[in-house]
Amino acid sequence: MEVHYREEGVAEAASSLAGRLVADGVPARLAAGDPTLWDEDAEGETEGGRPFRVPRELLAELDAVSARLLAAVGPGEEGPHVVLIAAGCAALAAEAICDTADVPLTVLDTADPGQVRRALADRPESTVVVAAAGTAEGDACLRLYEELFERAGLAPAGRVVAVADPGTPPAEHARERGYAVVPAGEGALSAAALLPAALAGADVARLLDDAEEVLPLLSRDVGNPGLDLGAALGGAALTGRGKLLLEDRLSPIAGLPDWVEALVAGSTGKQGRGILPVVGADPLAAADELVVGLDTDLGDVRVDGRLGAQFLVWEYATAVAALALGVDPDDRPDAAEQERQAAGLLTLPDLPAGAPVFTDGPVEVYGAVGAKDLRGLFAELLHAVPSDGYLAVTAYLDRLAAFDAPVPVGADFEQMTDAWMMADPATLRALLALRTDRPVTFGWGPRYLYGAGQYHKGGPQNGVFLQITGAVADDVAVPGRSRTLGRLQLAQALGDLEALETRGRPAVRLHLTDRAAGVAHLLAAAQEV
């Protein structure tokens, strides 16, 4: 595992910060989980101080649980349909593992009715579920799978495993239902990511081997890739380069930038400080950018290494950067507020969606805006971004629906790609990015809330926010709850918006009265700005 500085300014800032950290004995203290790095009066292990380790003892437990689940579904030509119900970094780490290994995994970290319904309909007889989320959407998805199995005469106890810490509500629910329970653990190399990946067919033992190779280096003052990367991130942020562009073109690892984005933004974005990762953007050579290449020379810093080592080094480096910024990497004070806001809204007879300030075709616009149409709105939002700021686009929609878009009969690959892009809300980020010299980010709700959402609310006051919601044509009732998935999804979006607005962050909501037509209308308007 190696970290290379490819730009002199980065090397100088990193060297200066690393020297101070080494003088304070930080590398070894951090590797050992010394909590006094964040709290001088701390005793024992706290959230701000946990040892960096590789949980190899998990392998035997994962093998036993996997054997139990796979025996329940029996052999099949396609193998088991593995469903992970999780949130935040755990879900993104599992996706990165499975995408890199090219094995299928269904991740449910959403309340979108269409996305959940599609997962429920996919080979229920061969489905196994890893329930690793204590969130509202996680509770809803698990209840739906329990109902699905029971109606089909399939015993849920043989098909569901809970990843939860003892004594928590998810663990107690699992115990009452007779599910196997695996302790949650911490980080990307925890059961929440490793168990579904193992069930899907990824080689998690090799992943741990790769992490184990780099682990001894994390205590060193010299030749420590975690310190080298963390000093680059923290040193750049302290010198005004707090926008982290992640470049992974041609990398053999798939999905790592999304996980890094959630990790870094959620760990550093608080107390008005932070590092904002930007995924999928081309560098603009802006003064506040730091470009990090993942197994590629396209960047100011190059980070080489296999996925297991990348996980461990990025977690260590993020802790180093958080320490440099003076924040606790494991504290998420602002991420929880949206959950409280959404829970409060769900107790109301009707969700307070408000009245649109104007309607442009199948798109309703909510917020304090002066524009009269979408084209003018996009121009207004881009103009409102400060010289050191960013525009964040978030969508509470079906993140896989673009691939269901109609494609012309006989279309070639380029035509198919064009059809999918024009049905994908994420394309809006790229279109708006072409029209500004500031970073434009994109996130799917609610998955982004546990990472970038923390930065949006707790980080520097220089963001402008554009939220997209959509009408639900065919809703799904949540068993045992007086709500539907669509109502929960909208409550999460409105709670997110309220949390932004109470902090004085400029935010606008676009509501698609017809989702497919609305996305196409948004993209057409963005092309005209």
Side-chain angles (χ1 to χ4, degrees), residues 110-449:
T110 180
D112 186 81
Q115 191 174 335
V116 174
R117 186 186 299 106
R118 191 166 53 248
L120 291 167
D122 187 2
R123 297 170 286 149
E125 70 286 347
S126 62
T127 293
V128 294
V129 175
V130 179
T135 59
E137 67 274 13
D139 170 79
C141 290
L142 177 57
R143 287 172 176 271
L144 284 163
Y145 267 103
E146 290 171 341
E147 180 184 67
L148 174 71
F149 291 147
E150 288 166 353
R151 286 184 174 179
L154 306 171
R159 295 170 174 269
V160 178
V161 58
V163 179
D165 290 323
T168 60
E172 290 303 306
H173 175 78
R175 183 184 59 80
E176 293 168 2
R177 300 279 303 195
Y179 303 154
V181 180
V182 180
E186 299 281 354
L189 301 178
S190 65
L194 297 182
L195 177 56
L199 285 165
D203 187 349
V204 298
R206 174 63 184 272
L207 193 79
L208 296 181
D209 288 343
D210 294 334
E212 212 157 42
E213 286 183 11
V214 80
L215 182 62
L217 305 180
L218 300 183
S219 299
R220 296 182 180 178
D221 293 341
V222 178
N224 179 339
L227 177 63
D228 294 341
L229 177 57
L233 300 177
L238 291 174
T239 56
R241 299 173 70 172
K243 308 297 190 299
L244 171 62
L245 273 70
L246 296 163
E247 176 61 72
D248 70 336
R249 278 175 285 186
L250 304 180
S251 170
I253 298 174
L256 186 59
D258 289 336
W259 174 81
V260 171
E261 177 188 33
L263 172 71
V264 173
S267 297
T268 66
K270 60 208 77 170
Q271 299 176 29
R273 310 164 204 167
I275 298 170
L276 177 68
V278 184
V279 176
D282 291 324
L284 299 171
D288 59 351
E289 286 182 355
L290 174 71
V291 183
V292 173
L294 305 173
D295 280 323
T296 175
D297 286 332
L298 301 174
D300 305 311
V301 179
R302 174 171 177 151
V303 185
D304 293 332
R306 296 178 64 89
L307 183 57
Q310 292 270 8
F311 280 146
L312 208 58
V313 165
W314 273 100
E315 288 176 346
Y316 185 101
T318 301
V320 169
L323 185 63
L325 293 173
V327 296
D328 183 341
D330 288 326
D331 188 20
R332 303 287 194 277
D334 302 289
E337 182 176 342
Q338 178 276 338
E339 296 181 45
R340 293 192 296 270
Q341 300 277 24
L345 292 174
L346 287 169
T347 65
L348 302 176
D350 298 298
L351 295 177
V357 293
F358 71 84
T359 299
D360 187 333
V363 182
E364 297 174 341
V365 178
Y366 298 79
V369 299
K372 302 302 181 183
D373 59 20
L374 283 176
R375 178 181 175 183
L377 172 67
F378 291 146
E380 182 178 323
L381 291 174
L382 291 171
H383 181 73
V385 178
S387 60
D388 63 344
Y390 65 101
L391 172 65
V393 182
T394 58
Y396 285 80
L397 300 169
D398 182 344
R399 67 183 176 88
L400 303 178
F403 296 100
D404 294 334
V407 176
V409 176
D412 58 24
F413 179 77
E414 184 175 350
Q415 292 171 318
M416 292 170 61
T417 301
D418 289 343
W420 286 330
M421 287 185 66
M422 292 308 293
D424 187 355
T427 304
L428 183 60
R429 187 213 68 79
L431 292 174
L432 295 177
L434 290 172
R435 291 151 177 84
T436 179
D437 59 359
R438 300 311 304 145
V440 181
T441 67
F442 184 88
W444 294 104
R447 70 160 35 194
Y448 89 92
L449 290 171

Side-chain angles (χ1 to χ4, degrees), residues 381 390-394 455-457 462-467 497 500 505-509:
L381 291 174
Y390 65 101
L391 172 65
V393 182
T394 58
Y455 182 97
H456 292 172
K457 300 171 185 69
N462 58 8
V464 174
F465 302 91
L466 177 63
Q467 184 191 85
L497 203 64
L500 288 168
R505 317 248 163 167
V508 174
R509 179 168 73 97

